[in-house]
Amino acid sequence: MKKELQEKLVGFPIEEFRHNLLSWYKAEKRDLPWRMDQDPYKIWVSEIMLQQTRVDTVIPYFHNFIEKFPTIEALATADEEDVLKAWEGLGYYSRVRNLHAAVKEVKEVYGGIVPNTPEEISKLKGVGPYTRGAILSIAYDIPEPAVDGNVMRVFSRILSIWEDIAKPKSRKTFEDATYELISKEDPSSFNQAVMELGALICTPTSPSCLLCPVREQCTAFEEGVQAELPVKSKKKKPKPLQMAAVVLYDEQGKLYIHKRPSSGLLANLWEYPNVEIDADSEKTYREQLNQFLLEEYTVEADLSELVGTVEHIFSHLIWNISVFVGKINNQPNKDLLPVTLEELQKYAFPVSHQKIYRLYEAEGTAGR
């Protein structure tokens, strides 16, 4: 532990802090579906879903996912297409692919029981320090830190820690702080209470300090610097990428879709044919798209005029997609899969391509 943190903890009223935090949590905690019991599998699913996603968004997905895959056995034996479909719209799809791989290992190696030691659970795919700590503390009542952005924000204010929380090396400081502060009698409630405090009271901007149950123990509040914490350096702006996409159909009304590669961005999801556009080219977007279809899929198609645009923002990219509709004039190669509208419902698409389909629908028969 850093000397600076040790000094901050000297004289800090830990028992009073725990008591006030836990009393508030037990009285005010939200009624969330993954809090109904301490099932390690359900807690695991919820924590993976909650990464970079709001609670209100996660709740219906959680209900649906657990209904489809109520146990580790059910998820481990499920087809990947069904798993991705259940996750469709939540984003960050590598989360669910890692979860799917990890539960298979739990089934095969641990007899379907989620491991309860830091060493074993850390070996599972996609289980980093935060997820490890969340499962061990919430499900198994083991006093392990579960440190995410919410927790770092709360403790940066409580202890007046001025380290940049965007830097990976800062995590160790907050893990050390959690080890010292966590309730050894009720680590499950403690870690959930800190997360709840960060979500409801100790928010990124305009924290509700006057409603805070641990205001009296908060160093930042005492010093009047709560609005300046946490220290967080800004990320690079996402790079804009101009693209063109087309919803291809044939005389039978079938649509043609393509499966993305098994690694990389949006791996194994389905999409409509699309290509990055050279905005400086003398060729129009439609001409570039036609050339791509011919070279990539041996498809000749009658493309419409532009039917709309779709913007989708990733952490590092912004897709600006110009959308067209096209009737194909020949049989494409095997890289495009023809599907009926009914069959289309079985496949998982990223949000951007769900929006592309809605533009196609909005065109109606007049556009086709």
Side-chain angles (χ1 to χ4, degrees):
M1 185 189 302
K2 289 182 179 178
K3 183 180 178 182
E4 185 181 356
L5 178 60
Q6 285 180 319
E7 291 173 351
K8 290 179 183 294
L9 289 168
V10 171
F12 183 82
I14 293 178
E15 290 299 329
E16 190 178 345
F17 171 76
R18 287 175 185 160
H19 172 77
N20 292 347
L21 179 66
L22 290 172
S23 298
W24 168 81
Y25 174 70
K26 288 170 182 177
E28 303 292 337
K29 67 179 179 179
R30 290 171 291 180
D31 185 18
L32 300 176
W34 45 88
R35 289 178 175 165
M36 301 299 289
D37 53 43
Q38 286 184 283
D39 182 342
Y41 169 64
K42 292 177 184 175
I43 290 165
W44 187 2
V45 170
S46 72
E47 290 299 338
I48 297 298
M49 286 187 169
L50 286 164
Q51 291 171 16
Q52 298 174 293
T53 309
R54 291 171 55 86
V55 167
D56 292 346
T57 301
V58 165
I59 290 173
Y61 277 95
F62 178 83
H63 281 303
N64 178 60
F65 198 88
I66 294 299
E67 184 179 340
K68 289 184 184 301
F69 315 112
T71 63
I72 281 182
E73 171 82 18
L75 182 57
T77 56
D79 183 76
E80 185 184 61
E81 289 287 354
D82 294 334
V83 175
L84 287 172
K85 186 66 180 176
W87 201 270
E88 185 181 50
L90 260 184
Y92 301 98
Y93 290 88
S94 61
R95 294 181 297 174
V96 73
R97 287 194 298 274
N98 289 339
L99 175 64
H100 195 200
V103 296
K104 289 178 182 179
E105 184 175 350
V106 169
K107 176 179 178 291
E108 294 165 8
V109 178
Y110 301 103
I113 306 298
V114 179
N116 64 356
T117 68
E119 297 75 25
E120 289 178 322
I121 202 168
S122 295
K123 295 175 184 176
L124 299 175
K125 195 166 187 180
V127 175
Y130 169 76
T131 307
R132 176 192 70 206
I135 296 171
L136 292 177
S137 63
I138 298 171
Y140 291 120
D141 275 315
I142 297 169
E144 281 284 314
V147 173
D148 66 355
N150 259 348
V151 173
M152 287 193 279
R153 180 173 64 255
V154 169
F155 284 146
S156 72
R157 290 169 175 163
I158 294 294
L159 296 173
S160 190
I161 297 172
W162 292 79
E163 293 185 32
D164 185 348
I165 67 169
K167 294 182 177 178
K169 65 179 182 180
S170 298
R171 173 180 292 274
K172 179 68 166 58
T173 298
F174 290 97
E175 287 179 345
D176 288 344
T178 305
Y179 269 120
E180 295 298 318
L181 298 179
I182 194 169
S183 166
K184 307 305 185 291
E185 292 75 28
D186 192 359
S188 176
S189 294
F190 181 90
N191 276 347
Q192 290 183 87
V194 177
M195 297 171 197
E196 194 85 336
L197 190 71
L200 302 180
I201 303 290
C202 198
T203 51
T205 56
S206 305
S208 302
C209 295
L210 297 182
L211 300 177
C212 181
V214 290
R215 180 182 70 242
E216 296 302 320
Q217 293 85 53
C218 181
T219 309
F221 179 75
E222 183 183 351
E223 296 172 354
V225 294
Q226 63 271 23
E228 298 172 43
L229 288 166
V231 175
K232 186 176 182 181
S233 54
K234 292 183 179 178
K235 294 180 180 178
K236 291 181 180 178
K237 289 185 178 180
K239 174 187 174 184
L241 199 64
Q242 183 61 53
M243 304 176 73
V246 58
V247 181
L248 293 173
Y249 66 95
D250 61 19
E251 288 187 349
Q252 289 75 42
K254 289 187 175 181
L255 302 183
Y256 288 77
I257 60 177
H258 171 259
K259 192 172 189 178
R260 292 181 65 87
S262 59
S263 61
L265 186 66
L266 304 175
N268 284 343
L269 294 184
W270 291 82
E271 63 182 2
Y272 300 101
N274 63 91
V275 65
E276 184 178 345
I277 289 297
D278 179 3
D280 297 323
S281 171
E282 294 181 0
K283 293 182 178 179
T284 65
Y285 289 5
R286 188 165 63 161
E287 288 171 335
Q288 291 184 59
L289 184 56
N290 252 327
Q291 181 180 345
F292 164 75
L293 292 173
L294 192 59
E295 293 176 355
E296 187 75 14
Y297 304 116
T298 64
V299 164
E300 294 180 359
D302 297 324
L303 298 190
S304 68
E305 295 296 329
L306 182 72
V307 299
T309 59
V310 166
E311 180 186 76
H312 191 74
I313 301 174
F314 298 95
S315 58
H316 63 300
L317 278 178
I318 300 176
W319 279 356
N320 296 300
I321 310 172
S322 298
V323 181
F324 299 84
V325 171
K327 182 180 180 182
I328 66 171
N329 298 321
N330 66 312
Q331 188 64 34
N333 66 28
K334 61 179 178 9
D335 289 333
L336 284 181
L337 177 69
V339 293
T340 64
L341 293 184
E342 184 179 358
E343 291 169 337
L344 191 69
Q345 307 310 311
K346 298 187 300 184
Y347 298 95
F349 288 80
V351 169
S352 54
H353 284 254
Q354 294 175 43
K355 292 177 181 177
I356 287 170
Y357 179 76
R358 287 197 286 273
L359 285 175
Y360 166 79
E361 276 190 313
E363 271 294 281
T365 54
R368 303 192 284 277

